[in-house]
Amino acid sequence: MEDHGEQIIRFDDLARGDVAHVGGKNASLGEMVRHLGARGINVPPGFATTSHAYWQFVDEGGLRDTVASALQAMHDGKATLAETGKILRDAFLSADWPKQIEDAIRAEYEALCTRIGRKDVDVAVRSSATAEDLPDASFAGQQETFLNIRGPEALLYACRRCYASLFTDRAISYREAKGFDHLKVALSVGVQVMVRSDIGGSGVMFSIDTETGFDRVVVIDAAWGLGETVVQGIVDPDEYQVFKPLLAREGIVPIVEKRLGAKADKMIYARAGKGTTRIVPTSKAERAGFVLSEPEIVQLARWACVIEEHYGCPMDIEWAKDGETGALFIVQARPETVQSRREAGAYRSYSVTEKGRKLVTGLSIGDAAVAGQVCLLDTPQEIDSFVDGGVLVTGNTDPDWVPIMKRASAIVTDRGGRTSHAAIVSRELGLPAIVGAGNATHVLHDEQEITVSCAEGDQGFVYEGTARITEDMLDPAAVPETRTEVMLNLANPAAAFRWWRLPADGVGLARMEFVINNHVRIHPMALIHFDTLQDAEAKAQITALTAGHDDKAGYFVDRLSRGLARIAAALYPKPVIIRMSDFKTNEYAELIGGAGFEPPEENPMLGFRGASRYTSPRYRAGFALECRAIRRLRDEMGFDNVVVMIPFCRSVAEADRVLAVMAEEGLERGKNGLQVYVMAEIPSNVVLASAFAERFDGFSIGSNDLTQLTLGVDRDSETLAELFDEQDPAVKWMIGHVIAAAKDAGAKIGLCGQGPSDYPEFAQFLVECGIDSISVTPDSFLRVKEQVARAERDGS
């Protein structure tokens, strides 16, 4: 390269060890250009001014004294932060370039134009502080970026503006807060050829899930136009998630999430004389379409893995797609500095003291406790009045409440039991909840300060005022080993990654109907018969939800398979047992478009549910879509750890019919390693266990329904709640008998009911019976695991 002394260094000649000379951003770009280009990663060429050039600019412009005196005046209270920042920025903008540096920038820009083969090539001009992106001092976002800069004069002005941006109000405040000497932080300017993403797309990706720290996914955000809209949070982008361990397998496309963002606006190049960029509305087609194709999503994810492997840590990466050529580029990469440094043992136990008056009592979900302010809502449409971190108090919840539930610190409902929507979703979100309280909406009022305690056993309490809550850390690494497998019950794809650090032996129950309810929301038969659907309101909702999908039935398969994939990924390669849909008719009818496809029933709990639906003309086509989703999950996405389970199978003849239908739909037991289990939840499953064992690879005891049908107690009846007891001798006889029968037949057997989660001592009985696995809610995993270990020690 042409010798410009110490002022300019091309990206090709930089490495990550050059942070002191060109800042973290530019050093990282140089590192990738030098070492990762050979591995297929495209990084636009460019060059960087050095910290030496910055200090030369400061010294020859006499700016040291200006900076020192202005900051001293601010510290003495003689000037505000805003006044100080303006003085310093004006000083930098009005200072002249030293001739040596100006000549170097002009010459290197001209050389860059020659390399690209275009006159006045458009470039991005980015600031890179010399202490930027260090683990304890990430200056990312503190300085400015200028896009679509053309010609040497515009470039010199943009570089001067970058220097001035070292003294924006937020940058000054940041360094003050971190204790950095303002005159010991220099600035490098990165000059990089623009990718024409203004007519393409761009975004950000992380090689780690930024919400949970799950380190086996790449999370990609994408929007139309230049990437600043995503970086600055101006738009709601598309979101894609890719499971890293399966990326290397030939023919596999492990995209576990593909969410269409609103993408209402985009940033593009400005017209001549109108500045450098402008924001315009996107077209209807752009809003309805995904920015990236699936091959492009996979390519970016693979690049993220290569970059992460090279740097040896999770990475925060910016990418761009050229609208002229369709090529993808990496335009920035830096270490991710939040989740990757978070303490691994993120599980806590709670105790509550100094409690106020007891106001409300109900069933306790989870074992946490929080204090907060009541937000009393009647419908989910009142979301705008919900205060983040408030305690949601309402009659009951359904999937429409999930966006509010995610923002709550705790949940209290009048109605519902331990298997209600509020209970299951709260467990997976890690929120304390009290369900079936009866009178919470009558007793509690808006803005009331309360404490919600689920840390005192199976009864949960709402106390007046703010109690004293003590947290103790639970270390998953200290969990004892057990012969009996302890697995997780999961249903909510949005929360599945939260539990990845738990040393569970897999997922013993993934409820497909909850994924349909929350992730799909539409009755499958309404999608299949969309053209003849009579419900105009449902038809409009379906049209909106299926935007971007040409095939309405394909929407069901796509959403269901991706939702289940997140659950399958959380503990991969350990087994994940997915129960095919087990809605009751009244629940199915509540799905969008479902009312016209479900018969009215007096007792849906004992009606048209489970296996009986799968071969019925009323639902056979819907079950085919469920099978397509499982086939896609295993064969196309690569999650061959998935086991299928059939619920509520009343007879051996029904089992044969269901297995035949599954085989017709490409899910033949034993083919490609597919295992099929059956729920043991009806007395006939226990009585004829040996016959069922000939047809299935294993059993999972559904203790909720088995208790209901053994004792003749409606599990949802509040009046009979005290009679519903999974530890009743009759129920325990049933459980012990089916475990013994499964063992004799050489079939696997586990239990996925609520009992061990609520009553860890119940786990001891199961261990004594010789059960293979126990599946529990994530919040009770650690204490059940300890109980199982104790039972195994006592029995050895």
Side-chain angles (χ1 to χ4, degrees):
M1 62 173 276
E2 187 176 342
D3 184 14
H4 295 310
E6 296 180 285
Q7 284 80 26
I8 302 290
I9 307 177
R10 286 185 181 178
F11 290 163
D12 315 57
D13 298 318
L14 287 170
R16 57 179 149 172
D18 292 320
V19 174
H21 302 296
V22 294
K25 197 177 295 179
N26 292 329
S28 182
L29 284 169
E31 180 77 13
M32 288 191 291
V33 168
R34 287 180 69 175
H35 298 287
L36 300 183
R39 298 184 66 179
I41 294 177
N42 300 330
V43 180
F47 61 90
T49 66
T50 63
S51 56
H52 177 84
Y54 172 80
W55 291 123
Q56 188 176 344
F57 180 89
V58 167
D59 289 336
E60 292 195 22
L63 294 170
R64 281 187 190 268
D65 290 342
T66 305
V67 172
S69 60
L71 290 171
Q72 188 61 52
M74 183 182 75
H75 293 149
D76 293 342
K78 296 176 181 176
T80 66
L81 171 64
E83 290 168 341
T84 303
K86 187 174 187 313
I87 289 169
L88 293 177
R89 291 191 298 275
D90 287 347
F92 274 77
L93 288 172
S94 60
D96 292 328
W97 280 107
K99 187 174 187 309
Q100 184 184 22
I101 301 174
E102 179 178 343
D103 290 347
I105 292 173
R106 287 180 182 275
E108 194 56 50
Y109 176 68
E110 187 64 34
L112 185 61
C113 292
T114 301
R115 289 169 67 188
I116 299 302
R118 287 206 312 266
K119 180 177 168 58
D120 286 350
V121 65
D122 46 321
V123 293
V125 181
R126 293 186 169 93
S127 309
S128 184
T130 56
E132 187 174 40
D133 300 324
L134 298 179
D136 295 307
S138 174
F139 286 2
Q142 297 303 320
Q143 280 77 53
E144 301 291 346
T145 291
F146 304 98
L147 305 177
N148 188 25
I149 303 300
R150 299 182 185 189
E153 302 306 325
L155 174 59
L156 286 164
Y157 180 59
C159 290
R160 191 187 279 110
R161 290 176 71 190
C162 283
Y163 283 175
S165 77
L166 196 57
F167 294 96
T168 59
D169 296 352
R170 68 175 183 268
I172 295 171
S173 296
Y174 184 87
R175 290 193 298 274
E176 290 280 322
K178 294 288 184 181
F180 283 95
D181 185 334
H182 299 272
L183 285 170
K184 289 187 177 177
V185 176
L187 193 130
S188 164
V189 178
V191 179
Q192 185 177 38
V193 172
M194 284 285 294
V195 176
R196 287 304 306 272
S197 58
D198 60 306
I199 52 175
S202 53
V204 176
M205 63 178 172
F206 290 86
S207 65
I208 188 173
D209 178 36
T210 54
E211 295 297 319
T212 65
F214 184 48
D215 59 3
R216 293 194 289 169
V217 288
V218 175
V219 180
I220 304 171
D221 284 347
W224 300 111
L226 301 172
E228 290 303 293
T229 57
V230 178
V231 174
Q232 296 172 14
I234 295 171
V235 299
D236 174 24
D238 293 344
E239 182 180 310
Y240 318 111
Q241 295 184 7
V242 186
F243 188 58
K244 293 192 283 190
L246 294 175
L247 274 170
R249 283 177 46 181
E250 193 68 33
I252 294 300
V253 184
I255 301 172
V256 300
E257 176 66 294
K258 191 177 173 186
R259 184 186 66 81
L260 189 70
K263 306 184 298 292
D265 299 302
K266 65 177 180 178
M267 182 181 287
I268 62 173
Y269 285 3
R271 298 186 187 94
K274 303 274 187 180
T276 57
T277 61
R278 61 193 177 110
I279 293 178
V280 297
T282 48
S283 68
K284 286 183 179 179
E286 287 172 324
R287 292 194 290 274
F290 288 104
V291 174
L292 294 174
S293 67
E294 293 198 353
E296 289 169 337
I297 294 168
V298 169
Q299 181 179 339
L300 283 175
R302 286 187 172 133
W303 283 0
C305 293
V306 170
I307 294 168
E308 179 182 63
E309 178 192 357
H310 180 77
Y311 281 84
C313 63
M315 297 295 288
D316 171 355
I317 302 161
E318 292 180 30
W319 60 271
K321 177 183 175 180
D322 192 300
E324 292 180 336
T325 66
L328 293 168
F329 293 86
I330 300 300
V331 295
Q332 275 195 52
R334 52 183 166 260
E336 193 274 344
T337 57
V338 179
Q339 278 293 349
S340 55
R341 302 179 66 228
R342 179 170 287 182
E343 189 175 2
Y347 302 99
R348 298 171 169 81
S349 65
Y350 298 79
S351 60
V352 183
T353 55
E354 300 175 19
K355 297 173 278 197
R357 182 165 57 99
K358 190 181 297 179
L359 301 175
V360 170
T361 302
L363 297 174
S364 171
I365 306 300
D367 56 4
V370 301
Q373 198 173 85
V374 169
C375 281
L376 182 61
L377 301 182
D378 292 323
T379 72
Q381 284 68 48
E382 299 173 83
I383 187 170
D384 289 343
S385 62
F386 188 80
V387 178
D388 284 353
V391 177
L392 171 62
V393 178
T394 190
N396 204 1
T397 68
D398 60 32
D400 288 341
W401 286 92
V402 172
I404 297 176
M405 297 169 80
K406 288 181 179 178
R407 295 167 53 190
S409 61
I411 296 166
V412 182
T413 65
D414 286 342
R415 299 184 297 281
R418 295 194 186 279
T419 57
S420 66
H421 178 270
I424 290 171
V425 172
S426 296
R427 286 188 194 102
E428 294 194 22
L429 292 175
L431 298 176
I434 296 174
V435 300
N439 61 350
T441 56
H442 179 70
V443 173
L444 305 176
H445 61 80
D446 254 339
E447 300 184 9
Q448 181 178 11
E449 292 290 338
I450 60 169
T451 299
V452 176
S453 172
C454 296
E456 301 170 67
D458 59 3
Q459 288 291 300
F461 307 103
V462 175
Y463 299 107
E464 189 173 43
T466 302
R468 181 178 179 184
I469 300 171
T470 306
E471 299 180 21
D472 292 317
M473 291 297 298
L474 302 174
D475 181 8
V479 174
E481 293 285 332
T482 60
R483 294 188 303 275
T484 307
E485 294 182 338
V486 182
M487 306 172 84
L488 301 181
N489 293 340
L490 292 177
N492 186 353
F497 293 167
R498 168 179 163 78
W499 306 104
W500 70 277
R501 287 190 177 99
L502 283 180
D505 294 304
V507 175
L509 175 62
R511 298 175 177 90
M512 181 183 283
E513 66 272 13
F514 265 75
V515 180
I516 294 172
N517 221 339
N518 289 290
H519 220 58
V520 180
R521 300 178 59 199
I522 304 170
H523 196 292
M525 301 301 284
L527 290 163
I528 292 167
H529 299 288
F530 177 77
D531 291 339
T532 57
L533 198 62
Q534 299 298 308
D535 186 336
E537 183 181 350
K539 206 161 186 175
Q541 287 180 283
I542 292 171
T543 299
L545 284 172
T546 58
H549 291 79
D550 296 330
D551 175 17
K552 294 287 188 289
Y555 164 85
F556 184 92
V557 174
D558 185 65
R559 294 292 293 167
L560 180 56
S561 60
R562 294 196 202 283
L564 292 171
R566 287 173 59 84
I567 296 172
L571 294 173
Y572 181 88
K574 295 172 182 175
V576 172
I577 302 171
I578 295 177
R579 187 177 71 189
M580 306 303 276
S581 68
D582 191 25
F583 281 122
K584 289 72 175 175
T585 51
N586 59 319
E587 296 169 332
Y588 257 123
E590 291 174 2
L591 291 173
I592 296 170
F597 297 96
E598 297 299 328
E601 291 188 304
E602 289 294 326
N603 189 352
M605 189 73 78
L606 295 178
F608 185 46
R609 62 176 287 203
S612 63
R613 299 184 66 95
Y614 304 157
T615 59
S616 166
R618 281 183 174 272
Y619 192 72
R620 168 71 174 78
F623 182 63
L625 295 186
E626 294 183 22
C627 291
R628 275 178 58 189
I630 295 293
R631 202 168 69 240
R632 182 178 182 195
L633 181 64
R634 286 177 52 85
D635 299 343
E636 297 176 27
M637 301 172 76
F639 291 101
D640 50 13
N641 60 325
V642 164
V643 177
V644 172
M645 184 157 65
I646 304 301
F648 224 76
C649 189
R650 293 172 168 99
S651 71
V652 172
E654 190 170 61
D656 289 336
R657 289 194 298 271
V658 169
L659 289 168
V661 167
M662 288 177 63
E664 288 175 26
E665 297 299 333
L667 291 180
E668 182 179 345
R669 179 187 168 209
K671 189 175 181 180
N672 298 327
L674 176 65
Q675 294 187 56
V676 184
Y677 284 19
V678 67
M679 292 288 291
E681 55 189 341
I682 305 170
S684 61
N685 303 141
V686 178
V687 174
L688 299 177
S690 59
F692 278 100
E694 292 174 6
R695 291 157 172 82
F696 295 98
D697 298 288
F699 295 88
S700 184
I701 301 167
S703 57
N704 295 329
D705 270 328
L706 189 59
T707 300
Q708 171 176 251
L709 296 173
T710 300
L711 299 179
V713 174
D714 180 351
R715 75 189 208 190
D716 286 343
S717 170
E718 294 177 17
T719 306
L720 300 177
E722 63 183 39
L723 297 176
F724 186 86
D725 183 7
E726 288 161 296
Q727 300 192 80
D728 184 276
V731 179
K732 291 174 79 171
W733 184 92
M734 285 281 193
I735 291 171
H737 186 85
V738 75
I739 292 172
K743 290 289 188 183
D744 288 344
K748 284 270 197 178
I749 186 160
L751 184 140
C752 60
Q754 191 60 31
S757 301
D758 295 336
Y759 309 103
E761 66 273 13
F762 189 45
Q764 183 165 353
F765 160 72
L766 298 171
V767 171
E768 290 169 355
C769 290
I771 201 161
D772 293 314
S773 65
I774 299 171
S775 190
V776 298
T777 55
D779 57 288
S780 62
F781 172 83
L782 293 174
R783 67 174 184 270
V784 172
K785 187 78 168 173
E786 289 169 354
Q787 185 71 25
V788 167
R790 193 175 303 117
E792 289 180 348
R793 286 196 303 271
D794 293 345
S796 60

